[in-house]
Amino acid sequence: MCVIVLLWLCLALGFLLALLIHKFSPPFQTKHEQNPMFLFFQDLIRYGKTKQCNRDYWLHKLDVPKRWFWHFYAVSVVWNGLLLVLSLHLKLQNQSYPQWLTYFLSFLCGMQWNESQVPQLSTLLVQLFLWSHSLRRLLECLFVSVYSEGVIHMAQYMFGIGYYIILGLTVICSNNFLDAKGFGSLFHQLDLGHLSGTALFISASLLQHSSLVTLAMLRTGNSGTVKTFVHGVPHGGWFELVSCPHYFAELLIYISLGLVFGGLSLTWWTVVSYVLFNQALAAQLCQEFYMTKFEGYPRHRYAFIPFVL
């Protein structure tokens, strides 16, 4: 098993375990709620409004503002933009990646990483979609979302910075340099997977954007001017089905990229499994926050996936 697959599997299993402990083991939580290690664990899996109020003083020393989320997407726009430009340039010149990058990818993805069965068109489209997704999220963080004094853990911040760097390299692991040469050959590779994946990517992106706009309007109203930083209950659209449609949309975006890969990249499906458990945990914590803070919160709403979770 190559390093990159092992990394994503470990992350997926780690968040699955955290989800199971949190959702299905109340006695365990009650027994260890004063344990310093358990408190540290809770601090690592929570951020923003789901951070516990009764945190130890030393935990506050590891906080950074949640509004720094935009740093993640800025790094991704630059890094994955560079990788996309490099891939397009090399495709145009019928060349391979630089030797230093080839060696590093061989370490991450296995010695036969450049013999992938994934068409080059798929890899280039995924790179383009990943970059456009990061750019949209960067603009939303800067101009749409309204952040209060919420915080994230320093470890979460460092993970977020490295996440999109590793994600970009993961996409390249599926590249196939033994494929046909020249840009003209790319259009002959177009198939139903590319079309369906693109359609789902656009739909999920629109869902995520509209959900974030709805959340922002809880604090701005129709005027666009920030009136309050108090949390409110979102209504309308997919919020009538789930508490966190923006997290569900994130999962759909990653699934759409798997479809663009034609379902041929096992490595990418390990990424999807990580996103599934990571977003499920975040949604569960948000659901609990809403239900605890608002007595009249709609109990029929699922946390994450409509009619499932």
Side-chain angles (χ1 to χ4, degrees), residues 211-258:
S211 300
L212 293 172
V213 169
T214 298
L215 289 172
M217 289 182 65
L218 291 174
R219 293 178 170 179
T220 64
N222 294 325
S223 66
T225 303
V226 177
K227 297 180 178 179
T228 181
F229 290 105
V230 176
H231 294 287
V233 178
H235 291 281
W238 283 70
F239 279 106
E240 300 304 322
L241 295 176
V242 292
S243 296
C244 304
H246 48 309
Y247 293 160
F248 179 53
E250 185 81 1
L251 174 63
L252 292 180
I253 287 171
Y254 280 80
I255 291 175
S256 74
L257 300 184

Side-chain angles (χ1 to χ4, degrees), residues 160-292:
I161 293 294
Y163 173 79
Y164 285 100
I165 295 176
I166 297 298
L167 192 62
L169 295 174
T170 302
V171 174
I172 294 179
C173 282
S174 297
N175 209 351
N176 180 6
F177 276 104
L178 302 182
D179 210 345
K181 304 295 183 180
F183 273 103
S185 65
L186 293 177
F187 296 101
H188 296 292
Q189 300 172 6
L190 188 65
D191 60 23
L192 185 60
H194 298 126
L195 298 177
S196 59
T198 299
L200 180 58
F201 175 80
I202 294 173
S203 301
S205 297
L206 292 173
L207 169 61
Q208 188 171 62
H209 177 71
S210 64
S211 300
L212 293 172
V213 169
T214 298
L215 289 172
M217 289 182 65
L218 291 174
R219 293 178 170 179
T220 64
N222 294 325
S223 66
T225 303
V226 177
K227 297 180 178 179
T228 181
F229 290 105
V230 176
H231 294 287
V233 178
H235 291 281
W238 283 70
F239 279 106
E240 300 304 322
L241 295 176
V242 292
S243 296
C244 304
H246 48 309
Y247 293 160
F248 179 53
E250 185 81 1
L251 174 63
L252 292 180
I253 287 171
Y254 280 80
I255 291 175
S256 74
L257 300 184
L259 295 178
V260 173
F261 273 133
L264 298 175
S265 176
L266 175 61
T267 302
W268 190 256
W269 291 115
T270 63
V271 177
V272 173
S273 66
Y274 155 74
V275 173
L276 168 63
F277 299 130
N278 172 277
Q279 298 294 283
L281 176 60
Q284 181 65 33
L285 294 171
C286 283
Q287 174 95 328
E288 292 173 1
F289 169 83
Y290 284 131
M291 289 187 170
T292 301

Side-chain angles (χ1 to χ4, degrees), residues 44 51 58 75 107 116 166:
L44 281 178
K51 281 283 190 186
W58 66 274
V75 168
F107 166 72
S116 167
I166 297 298

Side-chain angles (χ1 to χ4, degrees), residues 81-102 105 113-114 120 123-124 127 172 175-186:
L82 288 173
L83 290 180
L84 174 60
V85 170
L86 177 62
S87 295
L88 290 171
H89 172 74
L90 295 177
K91 181 65 177 176
L92 184 64
Q93 300 296 322
N94 292 331
Q95 296 176 355
S96 297
Y97 288 115
Q99 191 174 44
W100 66 270
L101 185 55
T102 300
L105 289 171
W113 67 273
N114 59 345
Q120 279 193 333
T123 304
L124 290 172
Q127 286 185 292
I172 294 179
N175 209 351
N176 180 6
F177 276 104
L178 302 182
D179 210 345
K181 304 295 183 180
F183 273 103
S185 65
L186 293 177

